[in-house]
Amino acid sequence: MTETEDVERAERLGRRRARIFAVQSILFISWQGLFFSRAAEASMRTVDTLKISAWFVWALALLFVLATGGNLLRGRKVRALLNDEFTRRNRTQAYVAGFWAAAISAIGLYLVDLFDVVTAREAIHAILSAAIAAALITFAVRERRALRTE
C-alpha cells in the first residue's frame, strides 16, 4: 500500500471506530436494565448466571477495544496513523471520564445503601458499567468531533 492509501484507510477506519464506539456505548447502557429489573433477594437462576457472564465478557471486550483502539489486525502503518496524538489525548480524556463516572457511581451507591440493601454484585456491576459507558461515550464523541473539524 502507498502512503496515501494508508492515510485514507486510517481515516475511514477512524470514522467507523467512532460510530462503532457510540453504538456500543448506547447498546451497553440500554442492556443494563436487564440486570437491575429483578429483585436482589431473588435466587440466582441459570439465565441470570448466563446474563452476568455475557455482561462480563462484553465489558472485558469493550475495555480491551478502548485500550487498544480496536484495530490490532490492521497493518503497523495504519495502526500508527489511527493512534495519533489526538486519539491518545481523546483516549486519556475517556479514561478520566470513566474514572469520574466510577467515583460518582460509588458515592451514589453508598448513599443508596443507607436506605436500601445493595449487594456487592450490584455495586460492582453499576460502577463498572458506568465507568465503561462514560469512557466509550467520551471517546466516541471526542473522536467524532475531531474528525468533523478535519
Side-chain angles (χ1 to χ4, degrees), residues 66 89-99 134-135 138-139 142:
L66 183 63
R89 186 189 65 214
N90 291 341
R91 189 175 291 125
T92 299
Q93 291 300 313
Y95 292 155
V96 169
F99 166 80
T138 301
F139 184 76
R142 291 181 66 88

Side-chain angles (χ1 to χ4, degrees), residues 72-117:
L72 291 179
L73 300 177
R74 306 294 176 203
R76 184 177 300 165
K77 290 180 183 178
V78 174
R79 274 198 323 266
L81 289 168
L82 282 167
N83 196 26
D84 63 358
E85 66 269 6
F86 297 113
T87 299
R88 289 192 300 272
R89 186 189 65 214
N90 291 341
R91 189 175 291 125
T92 299
Q93 291 300 313
Y95 292 155
V96 169
F99 166 80
W100 283 109
I104 292 167
S105 297
I107 291 168
L109 288 167
Y110 183 83
L111 294 174
V112 168
D113 192 53
L114 294 173
F115 305 103
D116 196 11
V117 176

Side-chain angles (χ1 to χ4, degrees), residues 29-48:
I29 291 168
S30 63
W31 204 47
Q32 302 313 308
L34 293 173
F35 294 97
F36 298 109
S37 61
R38 77 173 192 87
E41 306 86 38
S43 63
M44 287 290 288
R45 303 170 300 169
T46 305
V47 69
D48 295 327

Side-chain angles (χ1 to χ4, degrees), residues 14-32 58 62 65 132-133 135-141 143-144:
R15 290 183 193 286
R16 187 166 62 181
R17 175 179 60 190
R19 283 192 305 268
I20 289 171
F21 276 32
V23 169
Q24 283 294 320
S25 63
I26 292 167
L27 291 173
F28 190 70
I29 291 168
S30 63
W31 204 47
Q32 302 313 308
W58 194 5
L62 290 175
V65 168
I132 292 171
L136 283 174
I137 289 170
T138 301
F139 184 76
V141 167
E143 283 288 293
R144 290 186 68 127

Side-chain angles (χ1 to χ4, degrees), residues 1-11 77-78 81:
M1 274 191 178
T2 66
E3 185 71 27
T4 306
E5 289 173 338
D6 287 341
V7 171
E8 289 172 358
R9 184 176 181 143
E11 187 173 323
K77 290 180 183 178
V78 174
L81 289 168

